[in-house]
Amino acid sequence: MTNIINKEEMRAAYDEVRKDDSAITWAVFIYNDDNKITNGETGTEYDEMLNQFADDARVFAYVRLITGDEMSKRAKFAFITWIGTSVSAMKRAKVSTDKAFVKQVMPEYGKEFLADDKSDVAKDVVLAELGKAGGANYGSAR
């Protein structure tokens, strides 16, 4: 494992999001001034997570959402890579290589997203994609 990430700190945030009894539903991981990926904020509201996605930011996010229908509710997880539109080409390229290290720490997710526009990772979009990836719905048709 390279020294661009702190595996133990990242894993602790990842594990907290995965816990069924945790109020924390998302964690973000950001680049610091030394160009290393560090733990950013965690939270409970999806919109708070979206606020971390700035035009000049590179962010990895791990989020838990509840999907399903009235017959079966279940937690599903998404891995989001955000590269803001103002990020330079060199920094964009670095995200591509660094993502592999981050994904080694966070291997379990139902759907992966790459975005530079918040509408691509709006809560309803992510929920719909997780629902498609999650298999059958047994409840009544909507």
Side-chain angles (χ1 to χ4, degrees):
M1 181 78 44
T2 184
N3 66 357
I4 64 158
I5 66 173
N6 183 321
K7 183 178 176 181
E8 292 76 25
E9 286 182 6
M10 290 179 88
R11 187 62 184 215
Y14 166 82
D15 288 342
E16 188 64 27
V17 172
R18 290 196 59 81
K19 286 183 193 173
D20 288 334
D21 61 350
S22 174
I24 301 299
T25 59
W26 59 265
V28 296
F29 308 91
I30 58 174
Y31 285 85
N32 66 16
D33 293 338
D34 295 328
N35 220 20
K36 295 183 179 185
I37 302 166
T38 62
N39 288 21
E41 294 187 29
T42 60
T44 59
E45 298 296 324
Y46 195 88
D47 287 341
E48 293 173 354
M49 181 189 70
L50 289 180
N51 289 337
Q52 310 299 308
F53 298 170
D55 286 340
D56 62 347
R58 298 172 291 161
V59 179
F60 299 100
Y62 191 74
V63 61
R64 177 181 71 220
L65 293 168
I66 303 301
T67 65
D69 52 40
E70 69 275 5
M71 301 282 294
S72 174
K73 299 283 184 193
R74 55 205 171 270
K76 295 292 180 184
F77 301 89
F79 179 80
I80 300 170
T81 303
W82 171 266
I83 306 173
T85 55
S86 298
V87 173
S88 72
M90 291 297 288
K91 289 182 176 180
R92 285 176 177 273
K94 184 161 175 40
V95 170
S96 298
T97 57
D98 293 347
K99 182 175 13 177
F101 298 116
V102 176
K103 288 169 72 173
Q104 286 177 357
V105 178
M106 298 174 233
E108 303 291 330
Y109 50 87
K111 182 74 176 171
E112 180 178 349
F113 297 84
L114 173 62
D116 64 2
D117 186 315
K118 289 182 185 179
S119 66
D120 293 338
V121 288
K123 187 175 183 179
D124 59 332
V125 171
V126 173
L127 274 169
E129 289 297 316
L130 285 171
K132 289 178 193 174
N137 285 324
Y138 298 104
S140 59
R142 294 182 224 192

